[in-house]
């Protein structure tokens, strides 16, 4: 170890005018130093995540706790760090009074913190989300199970959680999580990347089908309650269906039901999905995509000969 440290020190102070190639010993010393730096950086990052997660979990305890943490984070980022006075902060807080008292906004912050904590767990799981899938499903159930709780104010839940004032105040603004949806209202991504993959690879088709139906139901709730500005069923809004939601029911819903069957067919649930697809086409002949569905169905159950031959070629000889 002493030898490598001396080599590294000599390498760093060597005159730049004498260009030399790295020896094997030099290279080993550099790599060892780099590994040590990376390990130190990892330990510091994990320390930040642990401290942040503890604060975020405390903020999840109640709506009041979520707002209290929000104010603390804003004060740090926008006032303390910028050397602005406490009086400036109190004035800002006074102007935010109505917004911060709004029950829907407060509840949204609380759910945002829950998804942020889950995203931090995802960052530590190295892309293995099977164990996080039940937690993600619980988080979505708590949001979509009672859409009226937000009174239409779900804007913060559409934000990427790593860009929130919570994450930035705790030094996590640059956190990256591969193939993980950073908003709980990114419904398709939550199911495609977290909920469904393990069920499909595990051939748990009944469960996968139930989760697909949940996905469709959640997307309908999003459109019915929270999309379309004043036309959604938020606080003080009409109970009549909005034109956007009517369009979703007539156009998007049948297409999502079709995509469910195609996805499960490709995953291996072929007989049931094929029969369902055929029935779906028959019941939705007037749909704009009916002809496309028919073409897709034919290609799935009876692939073109060149495609089937190509598959045989790659499969190898049959013994």
């Amino acid at each position: 170890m002493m030898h490598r440290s001396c080599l590294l020190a000599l390498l760093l102070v060597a005159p730049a005018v004498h260009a030399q190639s790295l020896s094997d010993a030099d290279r080993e010393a550099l790599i060892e130093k780099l590994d040590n730096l990376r390990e130190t950086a990892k330990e510091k990052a994990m320390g930040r995540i642990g401290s942040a997660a503890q604060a975020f979990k405390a903020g999840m305890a109640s709506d009041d706790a979520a707002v209290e943490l929000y104010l603390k984070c804003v004060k740090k980022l926008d006032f303390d760090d910028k050397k602005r006075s406490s009086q400036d902060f109190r004035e800002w807080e006074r102007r935010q009074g109505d917004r911060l008292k709004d029950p829907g906004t407060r509840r949204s912050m609380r759910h945002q913190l829950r998804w942020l904590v889950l995203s931090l767990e995802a960052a530590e799981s190295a892309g293995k989300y099977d164990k996080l899938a039940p937690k993600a499903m619980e988080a979505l159930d708590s949001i979509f199970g009672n859409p009226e709780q937000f009174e239409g104010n779900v804007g913060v839940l559409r934000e990427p959680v790593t860009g929130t004032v919570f994450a930035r105040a705790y030094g996590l603004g640059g956190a990256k999580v591969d193939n993980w949806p950073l908003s709980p209202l990114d419904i398709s991504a939550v199911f495609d990347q977290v909920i469904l993959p393990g069920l499909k690879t595990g051939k748990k088709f009944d469960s996968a089908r139930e989760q697909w139906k949940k996905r469709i139901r959640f997307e309908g709730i999003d459109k019915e309650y929270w999309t379309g500005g004043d036309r959604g069923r938020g606080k003080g809004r009409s109970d009549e269906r909005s034109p956007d939601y009517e369009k979703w029911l007539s156009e998007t819903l049948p297409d999502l039901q079709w995509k469910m069957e195609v996805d499960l067919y490709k995953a291996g649930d072929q007989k049931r999905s094929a029969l369902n697809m055929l029935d779906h086409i028959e019941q939705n002949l007037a749909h704009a995509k009916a002809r496309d569905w028919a073409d897709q169905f034919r290609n799935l159950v009876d692939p073109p000969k060149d495609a089937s031959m190509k598959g045989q070629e790659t499969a190898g000889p049959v013994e």
Side-chain angles (χ1 to χ4, degrees):
M1 178 66 71
M2 180 64 70
H3 175 64
R4 290 182 180 176
S5 298
C6 292
L7 281 173
L8 182 59
L10 289 172
L11 182 66
L12 293 174
V13 300
V17 293
H18 300 295
Q20 296 179 351
S21 299
L22 288 173
S23 67
D24 289 343
D26 293 336
R27 190 171 287 105
E28 284 186 39
L30 286 169
I31 291 174
E32 182 178 328
K33 180 63 175 178
L34 176 62
D35 288 344
N36 289 336
L37 291 172
R38 292 178 63 183
E39 188 61 31
T40 301
K42 180 180 178 181
E43 290 175 359
K44 289 185 176 181
M46 295 302 291
R48 286 199 306 274
I49 290 175
S51 175
Q54 185 176 359
F56 299 157
K57 288 177 181 177
M60 290 164 46
S62 68
D63 295 350
D64 288 342
V67 172
E68 181 180 350
L69 180 60
Y70 174 78
L71 291 172
K72 177 183 176 182
C73 292
V74 170
K75 186 175 185 297
K76 177 189 182 303
L77 287 174
D78 295 339
F79 294 88
D80 295 346
D81 290 354
K82 295 180 179 180
K83 310 300 181 185
R84 297 172 65 185
S85 69
S86 297
Q87 183 178 347
D88 287 341
F89 173 72
R90 288 193 295 270
E91 178 62 23
W92 172 87
E93 186 178 2
R94 183 187 65 78
R95 293 195 303 269
Q96 297 293 314
D98 290 342
R99 173 175 172 266
L100 296 178
K101 291 177 182 177
D102 180 83
T105 299
R106 295 161 69 88
R107 186 61 52 83
S108 292
M109 288 182 182
R110 188 175 174 185
H111 284 278
Q112 186 182 62
L113 282 168
R114 182 175 186 175
W115 195 258
L116 178 53
V117 169
L118 198 54
S119 297
L120 295 181
E121 292 184 36
E124 298 179 40
S125 68
K128 298 178 181 179
Y129 300 147
D130 286 358
K131 292 182 179 180
L132 293 180
K135 292 184 178 182
M137 194 69 259
E138 288 176 5
L140 262 61
D141 281 337
S142 68
I143 293 172
F144 291 94
N146 180 19
E148 294 93 343
Q149 66 182 308
F150 304 106
E151 300 182 349
N153 297 316
V154 295
V156 299
L157 289 177
R158 299 194 190 279
E159 301 172 4
V161 290
T162 53
T164 61
V165 66
F166 301 115
R168 291 186 288 113
Y170 281 84
L172 302 173
K176 295 183 179 179
V177 193
D178 294 332
N179 298 317
W180 174 268
L182 295 177
S183 162
L185 297 193
D186 189 356
I187 303 167
S188 60
V190 174
F191 280 89
D192 287 342
Q193 298 173 3
V194 183
I195 306 294
L196 289 168
L199 297 176
K200 291 190 293 185
T201 57
K203 305 300 180 184
K204 299 177 181 179
F205 297 126
D206 288 342
S207 296
R209 188 172 294 276
E210 286 305 310
Q211 295 306 321
W212 245 109
K213 290 177 180 178
K214 264 194 174 183
R215 167 187 177 168
I216 294 172
R217 180 161 57 84
F218 289 171
E219 293 202 17
I221 289 172
D222 186 17
K223 179 64 67 174
E224 180 180 7
Y225 286 89
W226 306 324
T227 306
D230 291 338
R231 291 173 292 178
R233 293 196 192 183
K235 183 178 180 181
R237 297 174 185 171
S238 172
D239 286 338
E240 295 181 2
R241 290 176 174 175
S242 70
D244 281 351
Y245 183 51
E246 289 287 359
K247 184 177 180 181
W248 185 89
L249 288 172
S250 62
E251 297 181 12
T252 307
L253 174 59
D255 195 43
L256 286 171
Q257 292 168 333
W258 173 261
K259 289 177 179 178
M260 172 180 69
E261 299 301 344
V262 170
D263 187 44
L264 293 174
Y265 181 95
K266 291 179 178 179
D269 193 17
Q270 293 188 346
K271 185 174 182 179
R272 175 166 48 172
S273 293
L275 293 173
N276 287 347
M277 281 189 279
L278 197 61
D279 184 59
H280 186 77
I281 293 172
E282 185 176 5
Q283 293 184 21
N284 293 275
L285 289 174
H287 195 280
K289 291 189 176 181
R291 293 182 65 181
D292 291 337
W293 295 338
D295 291 340
Q296 290 178 44
F297 180 77
R298 181 62 181 265
N299 288 331
L300 282 171
V301 300
D302 185 22
K305 292 188 180 298
D306 56 343
S308 60
M309 290 298 293
K310 185 177 180 180
Q312 292 177 15
E313 292 171 2
T314 57
V318 178
E319 296 181 359

